[in-house]
Amino acid sequence: MRLNKQGLADKAAWEAAGYALPQFDREKVTEATKENPFWIHFGAGNIFRAFQANVVQNLLNAGALDRGLVVAEGFDYEIIEKMNRPHDDYSILVTLKADGNVEKTVVGSVVESCVLDSENDAEFSRLEEIFRKDSLQMASFTITEKGYSLVSGKGELLPAVAADFAAGPEKPQSYIGKVAALLYTRFKDQEKPIAMVSMDNCSHNGDKLYAAINAFAEKWVENGLVDKAFKDYVNNPAKVSFPWSMIDKITPRPDASVEEILQKDGVEELDPVITSKRTYVAPFVNAEECEYLVIEDTFPNGRPELEKGGLMFTTRETVDKVEKMKVCTCLNPLHTTLAVFGCILGYEKISEEMKDPELKKLVEIIGYEEGLPVVVNPGILDPKEFIDTVLEVRIPNPFMPDTPQRIATDTSQKLAIRFGETIKAYQASETLDVKSLKRIPLVFAGWLRYLMGLNDAGEAFELSPDPLLDTVCPYVAGFKLGEEADVETALRPVLENAKIFGVNLYEVGMAELVCQYFREMIAGTGAVRETLKKYTA
């Protein structure tokens, strides 16, 4: 059983092995899509393959759509060259349900894959052709929050961006420069309308995409490299929109246990590829069943009825409320809490942590007692029900191979949103008191203890990647388990850093409590566990 057009011709073998196959005429859909594409997506990663591609497949199966998806990859061309094209753009979605059931779906809704390479004339010309099509209604993105940044960690313009600002849209080298050049192609062809939809998991993602594209439009106009009306086009919502969205679906790295299931079924050539850019990609993606995609309904060239596939279209204000509900309270802070303490306590699966009475109690208190009081109900999703699903179904799902180590990545970049916004809401409230927050400071102390790179038994472990490790780790480097230390003096520069926590912890009266918790956590081996027991009793 090979995952390609030829291998899938033997439908009976796949269906006998329990695979749901595309129920539409793929050749007909491919032809219609290439002639009149309606949706191109940038970012050929796991979330796209597990979510957007499957939504479109379901709509094709139901006859609600007659065209599929075009995907473009601009960060790592090898994903397309070594994974998409050898498999004729098919992939396998393995849905891991909390009840132990496994659903296996061959997804064939992606019917064309492109490489966003301005040095490759054939590839880039095809992308320009797509962007000139009247039928194109949206370009969407899952390129990670870093993908929209035009500057380095030091705030300096990235060399490729600086070069593109000076050279114009002819042969751009930066990711957003290439996208801006494609949008300029559309502008030159009668200023055709389009929605540019960031679907990345970051706050006000549409604004981030707009800011990056607009920076190119401004510089190119300023340098006389493009028609000056291009800037007006980018800034006219009737021509180009940048909707906000909120996406939520857990799609961990393809797991060996899932690969084993597929191998036993007889699926061949499942070996993952690790590209030269260290991207880990396989012919399959494993994901949870739950999924949410809420999008601001501003599409100047129209859109198909994707709500029939479960997507939710609403106002910008509602997207904002949903995003804050999820990112600031109902999911992300709970994940970060489990990630930090999971690393210290030696857990290798997030789901296993929900069997730990102290950790389970901790995230319940942070979610229901500390976070929920400041959540604004967005109306289309109920916050209490959302947390219930997170804590009772999603995180405890034993078949989801997600790790605390993966989720602990870039924690310094997450604390300000995931916890700082709740602190600010308490500050602004006439009825709530910041001093009543006792477990959020416990997470902050846990993160500082995590930065020591020692587990609760005193053994070294590897910290997850984080751009601020070189900045923050030196502040905890002098601490030794079981030794007295001047915690307050050593930690003060971190605790007063509002960029990390969203607030200056001294100004909100929380620093002393964080220091107290941290002092208790370094009292010796096993001290983290004892501290958790003490404050979750």
Side-chain angles (χ1 to χ4, degrees), residues 276-469:
S276 56
K277 288 195 171 183
R278 309 302 298 163
T279 306
Y280 185 101
V281 62
F284 66 93
V285 56
N286 37 246
E288 67 169 338
E289 185 178 11
C290 286
E291 58 188 25
Y292 307 90
L293 181 49
V294 184
I295 307 172
E296 179 187 355
D297 200 359
T298 54
F299 288 77
N301 200 27
R303 62 168 177 81
E305 294 181 281
L306 297 174
E307 54 266 51
K308 290 180 177 177
L311 306 192
M312 291 173 267
F313 293 88
T314 185
T315 64
R316 172 168 288 204
E317 292 73 22
T318 301
V319 175
D320 192 37
K321 290 174 185 175
V322 171
E323 186 223 311
K324 284 178 177 168
M325 178 196 80
K326 176 218 168 195
V327 174
C328 304
T329 306
C330 298
L331 173 62
N332 296 34
L334 314 183
H335 249 164
T336 292
T337 300
L338 294 171
V340 166
F341 286 109
C343 291
I344 299 171
L345 296 175
Y347 282 100
E348 293 182 358
K349 273 192 174 184
I350 285 286
S351 58
E352 287 296 313
E353 293 186 67
M354 291 304 286
K355 298 175 185 175
D356 184 310
E358 284 82 46
L359 293 180
K360 184 172 184 289
K361 182 69 172 174
L362 179 60
V363 290
E364 286 173 348
I365 294 171
I366 289 172
Y368 292 117
E369 296 181 24
E370 296 194 344
L372 203 54
V374 294
V375 172
V376 176
N377 191 327
I380 59 173
L381 289 171
D382 179 80
K384 167 75 166 52
E385 289 177 9
F386 192 95
I387 298 185
D388 289 344
T389 303
V390 166
L391 292 180
E392 295 169 15
V393 178
R394 300 179 69 186
I395 296 178
N397 184 342
F399 306 100
M400 282 297 295
D402 217 348
T403 67
Q405 292 74 23
R406 182 186 83 88
I407 293 171
T409 300
D410 299 341
T411 299
S412 72
Q413 309 298 290
K414 299 170 179 175
L415 296 171
I417 296 294
R418 299 188 176 187
F419 299 99
E421 290 303 309
T422 294
I423 296 170
K424 289 177 189 174
Y426 270 72
Q427 276 186 295
S429 172
E430 295 180 359
T431 58
L432 298 168
D433 184 358
V434 173
K435 289 185 172 58
S436 69
L437 295 172
K438 304 296 185 187
R439 303 326 187 281
I440 288 176
L442 189 64
V443 180
F444 293 162
W447 176 63
L448 293 164
R449 171 65 180 80
Y450 157 89
L451 291 174
M452 293 173 65
L454 297 173
N455 65 21
D456 205 23
E459 302 159 339
F461 67 86
E462 184 178 351
L463 298 176
S464 300
D466 189 309
L468 286 189
L469 288 184

Side-chain angles (χ1 to χ4, degrees), residues 16-73:
Y19 289 78
L21 300 180
Q23 300 298 307
F24 53 90
D25 184 335
R26 195 167 187 251
E27 286 191 16
K28 187 176 178 183
V29 166
T30 300
E31 186 180 335
T33 305
K34 288 188 175 181
E35 183 59 35
N36 290 301
F38 77 96
W39 181 356
I40 183 169
H41 183 87
F42 291 88
N46 291 337
I47 184 75
F48 165 72
R49 294 164 66 200
F51 196 169
Q52 292 94 329
N54 191 48
V55 165
V56 171
Q57 166 131 322
N58 290 336
L59 291 170
L60 284 165
N61 286 343
L65 283 178
D66 59 0
R67 288 164 294 162
L69 282 159
V70 180
V71 69
E73 176 57 39

Side-chain angles (χ1 to χ4, degrees), residues 38-42 52 131 137-143 148 179 194-200 205-210 213 240-247 293-300 302-303 306 311-313 319:
F38 77 96
W39 181 356
I40 183 169
H41 183 87
F42 291 88
Q52 292 94 329
F131 266 76
Q137 295 174 314
M138 74 165 144
S140 61
F141 300 80
T142 48
I143 60 175
Y148 305 103
V179 173
I194 189 171
M196 305 290 283
V197 190
S198 170
M199 295 179 175
D200 271 297
N205 45 22
D207 287 356
K208 288 179 169 58
L209 177 57
Y210 161 74
I213 296 285
V240 184
S241 66
F242 296 89
W244 291 4
S245 71
M246 189 287 292
I247 192 166
L293 181 49
V294 184
I295 307 172
E296 179 187 355
D297 200 359
T298 54
F299 288 77
R303 62 168 177 81
L306 297 174
L311 306 192
M312 291 173 267
F313 293 88
V319 175

